[in-house]
Amino acid sequence: MSSQQIEWDQPLVEKYNYAGPRYTSYPTALEFDENFGEVDFRAAVERYPERSLSLYVHIPFCHRLCYFCGCNKIVTRQLHKADRYLDVLEQEIRQRAPQFAGRRVTQLHWGGGTPTFLNSVQISRLVALLRSHFSITDDAEMSIEVDPREIELEMIDHLRAEGFNRISMGVQDFNKAVQERVNRVQDEDTIFALVQRARAQGFRSISLDLIYGLPLQTPESFAFTLQRVIALNPDRLSVFNYAHMPTLFAAQRKIKDDELPNAAQKLLILQQTIATLTGAGYQFIGMDHFAKPQDELAVAQRDGVLHRNFQGYTTQGESDLLGFGVSAISMLGDSYAQNQKELKAYYGDVEHRGNALWRGLTLSEDDCLRREVIKALICHFSLDFSAIEARWPVAFEAYFSEDLALLAPLMADGLLEQRGRSLQVTGVGRLLIRNICMCFDRYLRQRVRQQQFSRVI
């Protein structure tokens, strides 16, 4: 897999900057159905019993509300609420774990909300709970998201002692005026100290999250943020596009529309971000992710084994993903399953029947085939027709004739090329990979619901 760099083409970026899925799954969560029940879940668990496990735990609490946030979270400063949550989480874990007896856990991720809302005692309790019910390997990848505003330096030591070896930190922007507008004021020195401490403690990977498109951001102000980020020298970076959807997310109503950068400014910020980060030696992984060339993500992409799931790009494609906690999603066998999204409903279901399964989807053969095609494109920017035919009983050009017809104008615009019996995404097309994937999305064709997605850029 070549690590061909991205090329910027302003007219094409403007032309294709419309709404579309992020393809953390195919089919997307819009297709999940409440008819998916416990019988379907058990069948999914038994589909590939030899697969290792990747565990995801959702901690929904945050100390403070960030106005840009669209995550499933609960803002509170009452720690006892986390004790109650852990009690219910324990019930869910105890009930689910026996179904996965004998499986090795090679990956563990805590997301949110803010997982470090939990104090050290609560963190130790949850780690011990997971270790007592699952066989977590000694070399498992254990990652956690942290909020640099509400964490003591000593917590870094505690997380490392509990086995965490990867850390992800939400920075968003280093500009104080921008921070104030989104209610996320944080101290730059603290962030530098936390990163330094994580390195000293031997964390294998440090990842930072940035957001572009926030109020008062300009290409100049974001250039300053990028310089501070490069000084921090993280292993990975996520640079997310802020999707302003105040009708969907109440907190975003606190953001003034007239303070947001316009479309042209946003594109300029993105263009400059890509140029700055690739110039500083980062590899563009895809969508909004960058990694150092020696990072496992970059290596996996070069080796052709990169994967994508609900947490974004990942290295462990042959694992089943098992999610715990409110709103958590699992990818098991050829199925997706999601827990209740509302905390009250989650508590009620777990206490009443031991789990909070809300909805899901069992994939058809066509779903599985298209998922593989989309994954190849979004992870590796290429697609080999013969490789698909070797795994599926289809003649590629005949089966995907409608899809290839939809791709024709994108090919004419230079987003991708057909070379023999393969598709290769160009440097220009890499930035617009979601548009290319959308041509293979059967559900998107059946119902035009694009207003439910964020713009691709």
Side-chain angles (χ1 to χ4, degrees), residues 40 47 87 165 228 288 354 391 438 452 456:
D40 303 295
R47 180 82 168 89
D87 288 343
N165 47 34
R228 303 314 292 141
D288 27 44
R391 293 193 57 182
M438 284 155 74
Q452 296 199 28
V456 301

Side-chain angles (χ1 to χ4, degrees), residues 198-216:
R199 285 227 167 83
Q201 283 293 331
F203 276 80
R204 284 212 310 257
S205 175
I206 297 164
S207 177
L208 299 183
D209 295 341
L210 303 177
I211 298 179
Y212 70 95
L214 294 176
L216 301 188

Side-chain angles (χ1 to χ4, degrees), residues 262-323:
N262 62 34
Q265 285 177 307
K266 269 183 90 167
L267 291 180
L268 198 55
I269 291 170
L270 178 62
Q271 182 181 10
Q272 151 191 302
T273 299
I274 292 165
T276 303
L277 293 178
T278 52
Y282 286 90
Q283 186 172 312
F284 177 76
I285 301 297
M287 306 260 302
D288 27 44
H289 282 67
F290 298 81
K292 287 187 174 174
Q294 66 274 26
D295 183 87
E296 288 172 20
L297 271 190
V299 173
Q301 187 173 59
R302 290 197 299 274
D303 292 348
V305 293
L306 189 64
H307 182 62
R308 190 162 169 80
N309 66 18
F310 292 98
Q311 279 117 59
Y313 289 102
T314 178
T315 53
Q316 302 201 12
E318 292 310 308
S319 298
D320 271 348
L321 172 66
L322 174 59

Side-chain angles (χ1 to χ4, degrees), residues 194-266:
L194 287 166
V195 169
Q196 199 176 353
R197 188 70 156 248
R199 285 227 167 83
Q201 283 293 331
F203 276 80
R204 284 212 310 257
S205 175
I206 297 164
S207 177
L208 299 183
D209 295 341
L210 303 177
I211 298 179
Y212 70 95
L214 294 176
L216 301 188
Q217 273 181 349
T218 63
E220 295 71 32
S221 77
F222 206 69
F224 166 76
T225 287
L226 292 171
Q227 290 314 313
R228 303 314 292 141
V229 164
I230 288 167
L232 279 164
N233 197 26
D235 303 281
R236 293 179 190 175
L237 274 161
S238 300
V239 189
F240 295 108
N241 165 26
Y242 169 61
H244 190 55
M245 300 192 214
T247 51
L248 235 57
F249 306 112
Q252 294 187 357
R253 290 169 208 157
K254 295 178 184 291
I255 289 176
K256 295 175 182 168
D257 290 28
D258 61 353
E259 291 189 343
L260 293 169
N262 62 34
Q265 285 177 307
K266 269 183 90 167

Side-chain angles (χ1 to χ4, degrees), residues 16 402-414 416 439:
Y16 286 100
E402 192 180 345
D403 313 79
L404 292 169
L406 288 171
L407 277 178
L410 282 70
M411 285 194 206
D413 278 340
L416 70 166
C439 294

Side-chain angles (χ1 to χ4, degrees), residues 25 134 175 376:
S25 74
F134 290 97
N175 188 290

Side-chain angles (χ1 to χ4, degrees), residues 165-177:
N165 47 34
R166 292 175 169 274
I167 202 162
S168 168
M169 203 179 296
V171 170
Q172 323 316 352
D173 193 297
F174 272 113
N175 188 290
K176 275 285 181 283

